[in-house]
Amino acid sequence: MRKIFLLFTVCLLSFTSYSQEVNWLSFDEAIQAQKKNGKPIFMDAYTAWCGPCKMLDKNTFQDPAIAELINTKYNAVKFDAEGTEVINYKGQQYTNPDYDSNRKGRNATHEFTRFLNIPGYPSMVVFDKDLNVNDVIVGYKTPEELSPLL
């Protein structure tokens, strides 16, 4: 009986530890959500080829405490810094006109990435309620390192 209880507890803990995920939005969706809930925006600027970006996704954003913290305090945005998303920010539209869908690996840098002066990947950008850049967190962070910065 004790073994069954132990097995049940381990299974339950495994399930609950992975049940919390960050609710990622597009930038436009986050702006709309911000108008309703007043939360600042947390943006993860990443690229498809970036190893530390993938580690941030796997090790940090999958951490239940980090996911809960981000979901509670922010409207979260996942932004491909070399992607094709059209960004509308403070009356200006930003695109990636040099994007090449046939290119493998690195691609052209998005205009919004350049506008924000993203220094490297991954970078996490926090926008306040007026959509001003409040903070830029550069580089891979473990859950323990990121938590106090949020």
Side-chain angles (χ1 to χ4, degrees):
M1 183 69 175
R2 186 176 174 149
K3 288 181 183 179
I4 292 172
F5 178 74
L6 183 60
L7 180 62
F8 175 76
T9 303
V10 168
C11 289
L12 183 63
L13 288 173
S14 296
F15 176 74
T16 58
S17 68
Y18 292 103
S19 64
Q20 181 76 5
E21 295 180 4
V22 176
N23 298 322
W24 297 111
L25 304 169
S26 71
F27 195 74
D28 285 344
E29 290 170 335
I31 290 173
Q32 292 306 311
Q34 186 182 55
K35 289 177 183 176
K36 294 177 184 174
N37 63 27
K39 293 180 186 178
I41 293 174
F42 173 88
M43 183 178 82
D44 172 33
Y46 73 97
T47 63
W49 51 263
C50 168
C53 299
K54 293 174 185 177
M55 289 175 49
L56 190 65
D57 277 341
K58 182 180 178 187
N59 301 332
T60 305
F61 294 142
Q62 293 295 318
D63 182 273
I66 292 295
E68 182 179 4
L69 185 59
I70 290 172
N71 290 336
T72 301
K73 291 183 66 174
Y74 300 97
N75 296 302
V77 173
K78 194 85 162 143
F79 174 66
D80 184 347
E82 295 180 349
T84 59
E85 181 179 355
V86 175
I87 300 289
N88 296 295
Y89 177 73
K90 294 190 171 189
Q92 186 76 24
Q93 188 174 77
Y94 298 89
T95 63
N96 191 350
D98 297 323
Y99 180 83
D100 181 354
S101 61
N102 295 317
R103 189 179 298 172
K104 302 291 183 223
R106 294 181 185 222
N107 213 309
T109 303
H110 197 287
E111 291 173 336
F112 195 54
T113 306
R114 288 194 302 267
F115 170 78
L116 294 172
N117 294 315
I118 299 293
Y121 309 113
S123 284
M124 294 155 275
V125 182
V126 178
F127 297 85
D128 66 19
K129 63 182 176 67
D130 297 318
L131 292 178
N132 297 312
V133 174
N134 193 39
D135 195 14
V136 178
I137 304 165
V138 182
Y140 171 75
K141 303 290 184 227
T142 64
E144 297 77 20
E145 293 169 328
L146 185 58
S147 183
L149 301 175
L150 296 175

